[in-house]
Amino acid sequence: MADLPFPLADPLAARLRETLDIEAKLPRALAELGDLVGRDVALLDVPEGGLHAARLAAAGVVVRHLPVEDPLRLDATAASLDAVIALWSGFRGPEAAAIAEVDRVLRPAGRFLVVHDYGRDEVSTLRAPDAPEYVSWSRRDGPFLRDGTFRIRVVHCFWTFASLDDARGFLGDAFGDPGRALAERIRRPRLSWNVAIYHRGRGPVAAR
C-alpha cells in the first residue's frame, strides 16, 4: 500500500506525512480535475485513514478504498464510481487491460486520476535519476501521454519541515547518502516537490 511517494517504515513514514504538501495543493487539484466533491470515489492501494484519503474526505469527497491485484481487477460493480484515483503504487503504467478495468467501474462521465512524482525538483534527487517517473512517463511520446490516453497537470508542492536542522536530520535518517548529499545543499526548511496528475475521462480518449 502507498500513501507516500517513498516506502518508509514508521516512525520515518510518520515524519514524512507531517511534511507533505501542508498547503494541500494536491488534494485540491485532484478534486478540481475529477469534479470529486460529493461524488463516489475509489482510492487504489491506499490505506484507510491515510493522509491523502483524510484530506480528500475533509474536502467533501466520498472515499472508498480498493485493493490492487495483478492483473488489475477492482472489487466494484460496473458503472458504480464517479472517479478512481491511484497514488504512486496503485497504477504503474497504462496497460490497455488495466485501463479497461478502470473504465468498467466508472460511470459514463467518470474520471481516472493517476498520481506520480514528476521530478525536476529537489525531492527527485533522492531517487535514481533513471526512474521512469522522471524519464519516460512525462514525455509526450511516453506511455501516459501518447495517443491522448491521458492528459497531465503538474502540481508544484513542497515538503515543509519545522527547521533546517529538522530537514537535514530527516533526510539523512530516511535516505542515507542521497539524503545527506541533499541536506548539505539546502538552505531553507522545505524541498521543492513536483507531482504529476495524469487524468482522463472514461473511454479511449480523454474527455477534457
Side-chain angles (χ1 to χ4, degrees):
M1 289 187 178
D3 193 39
L4 300 172
F6 291 85
L8 295 175
D10 283 330
L12 291 172
R15 288 173 63 188
L16 181 56
R17 286 187 182 92
E18 293 174 355
T19 78
L20 284 182
D21 186 25
I22 61 175
E23 297 169 308
K25 291 181 178 181
L26 180 55
R28 289 202 305 270
L30 287 167
E32 177 188 342
L33 282 171
D35 190 19
L36 302 182
V37 175
R39 304 298 183 89
D40 296 317
V41 178
L43 294 178
L44 303 187
D45 201 36
V46 174
E48 294 190 29
L51 173 67
H52 300 288
R55 286 177 172 171
L56 287 169
V61 179
V62 181
V63 175
R64 175 180 177 185
H65 296 265
L66 295 180
V68 170
E69 301 177 5
D70 188 16
L72 185 65
R73 181 69 182 174
L74 301 179
D75 184 17
T77 58
S80 62
L81 295 168
D82 295 304
V84 172
I85 300 175
L87 302 175
W88 297 291
S89 69
F91 193 75
R92 297 290 300 176
E95 297 179 357
I99 291 175
E101 173 62 3
V102 173
D103 282 352
R104 180 187 68 82
V105 303
L106 287 175
R107 294 174 179 138
R111 305 289 297 167
F112 185 25
L113 303 107
V114 179
V115 171
H116 283 294
D117 282 12
Y118 180 74
R120 293 78 159 172
D121 58 17
E122 290 170 313
V123 168
S124 62
T125 64
L126 301 172
R127 179 179 279 153
D130 59 351
E133 293 91 329
Y134 304 151
V135 182
S136 62
W137 286 0
S138 60
R139 290 177 51 171
R140 291 296 170 187
D141 60 350
F144 276 96
L145 300 180
R146 65 184 175 219
D147 303 324
T149 305
F150 286 83
R151 296 184 181 181
I152 185 173
R153 176 179 291 186
V154 179
V155 186
H156 302 286
C157 304
F158 298 93
W159 295 8
T160 305
F161 298 85
S163 67
L164 192 54
D165 286 343
D166 183 40
R168 289 170 171 163
F170 171 79
L171 290 171
D173 292 342
F175 300 104
D177 288 343
R180 285 186 282 272
L182 177 57
E184 292 178 358
R185 299 195 301 271
I186 61 174
R187 296 295 179 267
R188 58 181 182 174
R190 70 176 188 174
L191 306 179
S192 59
W193 179 42
N194 297 331
V195 183
I197 304 175
Y198 299 96
H199 58 99
R200 70 187 300 274
R202 185 181 184 276
V205 179
R208 61 185 178 194

